[in-house]
Amino acid sequence: AELAGAPLSGEALTDPVRNASLGGQYLRILLRRWDDDPFLAVASYNAGPGAVEGWVNPSVKQAPEVWVESIPYPETRFYVKKVLGNMWSYQQRPQPQC
């Protein structure tokens, strides 16, 4: 409701265009909050920024893979690895040429 500017029904969130737009806006907010750190932003998207605030330590920058393994929520740990793994795989794909 905050991102949409008005209350939304659960049914409204099943609209793929609206859902993707709001999700993208929220991810942009989280990336700004965490200075474009994808590990912190994706973890916050899943567990909430308040939870992630308590997990921040020097290993986030020094060894992010180690930091991910220390996430205390198994669901969030799996989510971060899956989302960022998919992102990196997508970035490694050869781009079509015209």
Side-chain angles (χ1 to χ4, degrees):
E2 183 178 331
L3 290 174
L8 292 173
S9 68
E11 186 178 326
L13 292 176
T14 63
D15 171 37
V17 173
R18 177 175 285 163
N19 190 291
S21 175
L22 293 172
Q25 289 175 49
Y26 186 50
L27 184 57
R28 185 178 330 121
I29 290 166
L30 294 172
L31 283 165
R32 281 191 207 126
R33 175 182 179 145
W34 298 114
D35 296 323
D36 291 323
D37 185 305
F39 289 89
L40 295 172
V42 172
S44 292
Y45 191 92
N46 184 263
V52 174
E53 185 73 44
W55 305 339
V56 175
N57 61 49
S59 69
V60 173
K61 298 291 182 198
Q62 297 166 351
E65 300 86 357
V66 173
W67 180 82
V68 169
E69 292 302 327
S70 72
I71 293 173
Y73 298 175
E75 176 188 333
T76 301
R77 187 171 47 249
F78 177 76
Y79 182 81
V80 170
K81 289 192 279 188
K82 185 172 183 171
V83 169
L84 294 180
N86 286 338
M87 180 188 78
W88 290 318
S89 293
Y90 181 78
Q91 289 174 335
Q92 300 306 310
R93 289 183 9 198
Q95 298 300 313
Q97 298 182 14
C98 296

